[in-house]
Structures are given as structure tokens and as C-alpha cells.
Amino acid sequence: MTIRILPVIETSPLTLPSELGFGRYFTDRMFTQRYAATTGWHDAVIGPYQPISLDPAAQVLHNGQMIFEGTKAYRRADGGVNLFRPDRNAARFNRSAQRMGMPEVPPELHIRAIETLVKLEARWVPGAPNTALYIRPTMIATEKDLAVRAPREFLHFIIASPVAPYFAGGFAPVAVYVPHDYVRAVRGGTGEAKTPGNYAGSIKATEEALALGYQQVLWLDAIERRYVDEVGAMNIAFVYDGTHLCTPALSGAILHGVTRESILVLARDLQLTVSEDRIDFLEVLADIERGRITEIFGMGTGAVIAPVGRLGYQGRDIAINDGEPGPVARRLFDELTGIQYGRLPDRHGWIRSVA
Ligand code: COI
């Protein structure tokens, strides 16, 4: 399918604020295409970034049928722009679509839409260290109907936002609270899908964590409330004895993070042993006390690698690595971002140069 390109009045001059934050500014253009059960995907267009008009009875507003994604474009030192594993992003988008009963987007079209948008908006890719153009593909059910059933009309859109890392402190460790009263997802539910309900359900728990002086919530499994799932905005990894990296296995309730998947590869490259396991949080606490867990860090597209400095659990506040970022997180961060920003060779074929 051809993507039509409409004329757009561009922001001029473009001066990006020094404090970008995360998802506060948006480029001049967006991609949209529509789906109808009778015709499939059609009307692929890149036009002005603008509000979306929806019927108040649109199914997304009532049944919450919506999925989204996150991927980034990185400014290289030579002025060019890299995408990182857009094929994995397209695959996860379709995996979410399947789970939520939504139509898949041909991966080639998903990637071409991102590439074309980024090429047209290349001047919005920021150049300051660790900044990027965050790309947010999204799909919503637009059919006017309050019945809970598979809709026949959808809108797929892609917007883009110049961002700093998700956590304002950059590589400064985040404090993570482990709630006992709330859970995120159960196996067979929608925890593997990138769908807003997973995030909406986390907001109250995160607000409570913030009030206690923590920034994020670590979710335990929903049945026994004992095994580690993931953190609000990222997957999580534990480093044992400085040499072994362990992350929760993809249990059916955990997001299949592209950053997670990449870190596991890079950790093996760095001669760390790697495992994906069921991780008992009570054993984590014991292993921190014994000094066996030397680091904990989160990993995600928005968060990149975010060291965890403190854990809050049932009135206890537990420091990890004396609240400092650890050497394994640092080395993995340098490797990952080195590849993303083109400072290191792309030895795994993860980069797509778009400008
Ligand atoms: C991402 O890392 O892309 C996400 O979607 C997480 C979000 C909370 C920023």
C-alpha cells in the first residue's frame, strides 16, 4: 500500500527545549490508516499532527479496545538517524493485536510507516546525550457500538515525541515499591499485551508508592503474590555475584520487552551467565541481605536501563548496592546505547539507518 504524504506547515524555527521530559512535545506530522472489515487497511497517510475525532460511542471509549507500542529513533554522531529493532516492535504490536481481538498490521507496512515518518521528521530527532525521538504506534477500535463484541472498524496511528529517558534522573537509581494489595496481570489475562488497561490499573498503586517516596511499583504475580513479574514502565533484572543476570521468565503475564530481549543477548556477549526463571521475591530479599544480589535494574524502551537503588516492602526500605548504580548495569547501558546511537558496531543486525 502506498503511504500518501500531505503538505504540512512545519514548526519554524524548531528549537527543542533543554528539558524534554517524556512525551510532552510532538512532531508536526503523524501517520494514520483505517481498517474496515470489508476492505482491510486503507487510506495510509502522513499528514499534520492533529486531534482525532471520535464518535462518543466509539468502542475504544467503552470497551477499552486499544493497543500501543514504543520504539525510538536515535541521532548518530555523524548526524544520521538509527531505528532499533523495528521488526521486533512490529511483531509485538501484532501480538498485542491478536490478544485484544484486533486486526494485525502487515509488519512491512508498520515499519515503512515508522521509517517514512521519521525521515520526514528527522530534524525532530534530538541530539543531546541519551535523548531520542520516541515513536508511539497505536490502534483503537472506532466503530460506533456499545455492544461488547469484535468491532469492524479501527484506526492505526503513529505519533512521535522528542524525549529524554523516562526517569528524569537519567542513570540515577530509582526507588521501587512492592505493593501487597494490588496486582497487575494474571496468566491468560492481558499482561503480555501492550494495552492501556494494564497501565490504567497501575496508576493508583503508583500514586501510593510516590506518596511513600518511591517512583515505581514492582508487581508480584497475581496468584501467590510472591514471584516477580515486572516494574510499572519496564522489565526487571537481578545480578547475582556480579556475574549472573537473572530476569523473570515470560510467564504469560509479563510484557515481552524488546530491550529485555536485547539485554539478555548483550549480557551473554559480556560473558555473564544469563537465566530466565521464576523469581521468588522472598528469596530476592534474602539474597540482598546475604550480599549475593549485587544489582537490580529495570529495562525498557522509555527507561533504557534504570538501576534500582531501593526497594520498599511491607514497611521495610532495602538499599541495593548502597543505593548506587552498579557496574553490570553501566556496562550493559554502554553496550546497548553504543549500538543504538551508532558508537559501537551493530554486530547483531539490530539497526536500521533511516537518515
Ligand atoms: C516504553 O518503554 O516504550 C513504554 O511504553 C513504557 C511506558 C510506561 C513509557
Side-chain angles (χ1 to χ4, degrees):
M1 193 195 323
T2 323
I3 301 175
R4 272 193 308 136
I5 314 281
L6 301 183
V8 166
I9 299 169
E10 296 189 327
T11 306
S12 176
L14 177 60
T15 39
L16 294 177
S18 55
E19 297 287 326
L20 285 172
F22 190 89
R24 283 196 263 146
Y25 307 97
F26 292 89
T27 66
D28 297 315
R29 295 172 175 82
M30 66 191 284
F31 168 88
T32 55
Q33 65 170 338
R34 295 201 173 260
Y35 179 92
T38 45
T39 52
W41 289 109
H42 58 91
D43 277 347
V45 174
I46 293 180
Y49 179 97
Q50 60 188 356
I52 293 168
S53 166
L54 282 178
D55 191 287
Q59 289 212 332
V60 63
L61 301 177
H62 302 274
N63 303 337
Q65 209 186 13
M66 169 169 172
I67 58 169
F68 70 93
E69 260 310 325
T71 188
K72 280 176 172 172
Y74 304 86
R75 174 73 67 196
R76 296 195 307 266
D78 68 3
V81 175
N82 284 346
L83 292 177
F84 181 71
R85 309 191 76 181
D87 52 326
R88 301 302 298 144
N89 187 262
R92 193 172 62 177
F93 191 70
N94 280 342
R95 191 188 176 97
S96 297
Q98 276 172 18
R99 175 61 186 88
M100 299 303 289
M102 302 171 86
E104 294 185 30
V105 173
E108 177 277 326
L109 178 58
H110 179 106
I111 295 169
R112 184 153 48 90
I114 289 175
E115 269 185 6
T116 313
L117 182 64
V118 171
K119 268 186 200 155
L120 288 165
E121 298 291 42
R123 67 195 189 115
W124 285 84
V125 180
N130 300 320
T131 60
L133 185 66
Y134 183 75
I135 300 148
R136 175 54 71 93
T138 308
M139 194 201 305
I140 57 176
T142 50
E143 190 176 350
K144 173 183 172 181
D145 189 347
L146 299 184
V148 182
R149 60 153 183 83
R152 287 161 297 207
E153 290 164 19
F154 295 88
L155 172 69
H156 172 209
F157 62 88
I158 305 176
I159 52 177
S161 168
V163 296
Y166 190 75
F167 296 109
F171 208 62
V174 292
V176 172
Y177 186 70
V178 188
H180 211 258
D181 300 338
Y182 302 106
V183 295
R184 172 184 176 274
V186 66
R187 221 175 291 174
T190 59
E192 281 192 338
K194 212 157 167 59
T195 189
N198 294 336
Y199 296 86
S202 76
I203 287 172
K204 185 164 191 300
T206 308
E207 284 299 298
E208 291 181 14
L210 286 171
L212 292 170
Y214 297 88
Q215 288 148 287
Q216 284 275 291
V217 165
L218 169 69
W219 299 108
L220 300 180
D221 79 281
I223 309 288
E224 295 178 63
R225 303 199 181 186
R226 175 161 185 170
Y227 298 98
V228 177
D229 272 356
E230 64 179 73
V231 176
M234 51 201 184
N235 294 112
I236 188 154
F238 300 85
V239 180
Y240 291 83
D241 305 320
T243 56
H244 177 72
L245 187 140
C246 186
T247 190
L250 299 173
S251 61
I254 297 178
L255 199 73
H256 291 214
V258 177
T259 308
R260 172 191 182 281
E261 182 182 309
S262 309
I263 289 296
L264 297 187
V265 173
L266 296 178
R268 289 192 176 99
D269 289 354
L270 293 177
Q271 311 299 326
L272 297 167
T273 54
V274 171
S275 62
E276 296 171 71
D277 261 322
R278 200 152 90 134
I279 300 178
D280 182 337
F281 186 67
L282 297 179
E283 281 177 23
V284 164
L285 292 180
D287 283 335
I288 294 170
E289 239 163 56
R290 278 189 222 126
R292 282 216 54 214
I293 289 185
T294 46
E295 293 175 47
I296 302 178
F297 59 85
M299 39 200 177
T301 298
V304 195
I305 289 189
V308 174
R310 291 192 293 128
L311 283 176
Y313 181 63
Q314 297 193 340
R316 293 168 62 193
D317 187 68
I318 303 132
I320 323 295
N321 194 37
D322 295 327
E324 295 297 322
V328 172
R330 169 54 72 185
R331 275 165 71 205
L332 287 166
F333 179 87
D334 289 346
E335 280 291 306
L336 178 70
T337 56
I339 293 171
Q340 289 169 333
Y341 289 91
R343 293 187 295 265
L344 293 177
D346 175 26
R347 58 183 184 271
H348 295 290
W350 288 344
I351 295 299
R352 211 154 157 140
S353 165
V354 285

